[in-house]
Amino acid sequence: MLELTTYQQALPVLPRNHTRINFVLVGVGGTGGFLAEDLCRIILQLQHTRKEINFAIVDGDIVELKNISRQNYQQAEIGLPKAETLAARCSAKYGIEITAVCDWFEEDMIRTASWWNTLTVIIGCVDNSTARSKIHSVLKINSANEPASLFWLDCGNSNYSGQVVIGTHSNFDIVQASNNPDKPQFWLHLPSPVLVHPELLVPQPEELSDNNLSCAEIQARNYQSLFVNKMTSAIAAQYLLELTLTGGLKKFASYFDLKAMSTKSLYTSIDQLKKYYIPQTNYHK
């Protein structure tokens, strides 16, 4: 009951006015592969709003045999670029034009695609700090004095649990984050996912090694992760739906555990968001 009351008292998040939405899905492995299809379903609904919708998939990897049981790929696609094959399959299934970028994410992919009437949503489904650091760096595009035009939705998971976090500003200022500092009615900014979880930019042990897993290790990992990616995708899709179509997004971080079958979210209340306020006098670039 207390959690429901906290949710009801939270304020919604409103992006900048826009007539165009750019979705950039970075990483289409376990979670991103499923999320691509969920995002296509959202885009089909968004097309009724007459907004221009662009969808790009960015991934430099290829489909491997070990991906088939856990990720959204088929045997016939082994050896093909993930971005290209998923874009082609989703485009044929949903009738949506999708741009495939068969390369790793770089900051200039976003800077060149920013316009004044555009909302850009980067959906990060990556498993390494290097890629997250590059996505985090483009948040500087957002103005400190204007509603956010660029959102970063970060998705991550371990074997049985996961999290989805959304944000806009690396130097989050609670005073400038709402429409009215004295009596806020909605939020214009959110703290970057990195402010909520600084460990996202810390390299994990597997990033620092050759990561040569044995077949048994790969099999065990795939078994443990069979459905965790679909769960992460479903939660991320709900965030995207509320941010771009239905409105009413009143949370900025969600967590789940499949073994305990539990979920929890951080809601956009003043008390929650002010924890991530960085006073300018203490802020260092």
Side-chain angles (χ1 to χ4, degrees), residues 150-171:
L150 174 64
F151 283 73
W152 170 22
L153 182 71
D154 184 78
C155 305
N157 63 267
S158 58
N159 288 339
Y160 297 102
S161 60
Q163 79 284 335
V164 173
V165 188
I166 191 168
T168 63
H169 284 67
S170 55
N171 54 342

Side-chain angles (χ1 to χ4, degrees), residues 213-224:
L213 296 176
S214 68
C215 292
E217 289 171 324
I218 292 172
Q219 185 178 22
R221 187 174 66 170
N222 288 344
Y223 173 76
Q224 292 168 343

Side-chain angles (χ1 to χ4, degrees), residues 64-130:
E64 300 179 71
L65 176 61
K66 65 183 180 182
N67 302 143
I68 302 303
S69 65
R70 191 172 62 90
Q71 301 183 7
N72 188 18
Y73 295 101
Q74 305 168 5
Q75 287 276 353
E77 296 168 339
I78 292 175
L80 299 176
K82 287 184 176 180
E84 193 171 81
T85 189
L86 193 61
R89 179 149 46 87
C90 288
S91 181
K93 182 175 181 179
Y94 298 98
I96 296 171
E97 184 176 346
I98 303 173
T99 301
V101 180
C102 302
D103 202 348
W104 306 114
F105 178 80
E106 296 293 343
E107 293 93 327
D108 58 7
M109 293 178 182
I110 299 302
R111 292 192 178 95
T112 56
S114 296
W115 296 283
W116 64 273
N117 61 342
T118 301
L119 170 65
T120 299
V121 185
I122 305 176
I123 307 121
C125 298
V126 299
D127 58 359
N128 64 86
S129 60
T130 301

Side-chain angles (χ1 to χ4, degrees), residues 157-228:
N157 63 267
S158 58
N159 288 339
Y160 297 102
S161 60
Q163 79 284 335
V164 173
V165 188
I166 191 168
T168 63
H169 284 67
S170 55
N171 54 342
F172 179 70
D173 186 338
I174 190 70
V175 177
Q176 296 178 303
S178 71
N179 64 313
N180 185 337
D182 297 324
K183 194 175 181 180
Q185 296 174 304
F186 53 86
W187 298 108
L188 306 173
H189 305 165
L190 290 172
S192 165
V194 167
L195 295 181
V196 182
H197 288 288
E199 70 274 15
L200 292 175
L201 296 188
V202 178
Q204 299 303 301
E206 55 268 28
E207 295 180 55
L208 303 175
S209 67
D210 292 337
N211 197 21
N212 293 321
L213 296 176
S214 68
C215 292
E217 289 171 324
I218 292 172
Q219 185 178 22
R221 187 174 66 170
N222 288 344
Y223 173 76
Q224 292 168 343
S225 304
L226 272 179
F227 307 111
V228 70

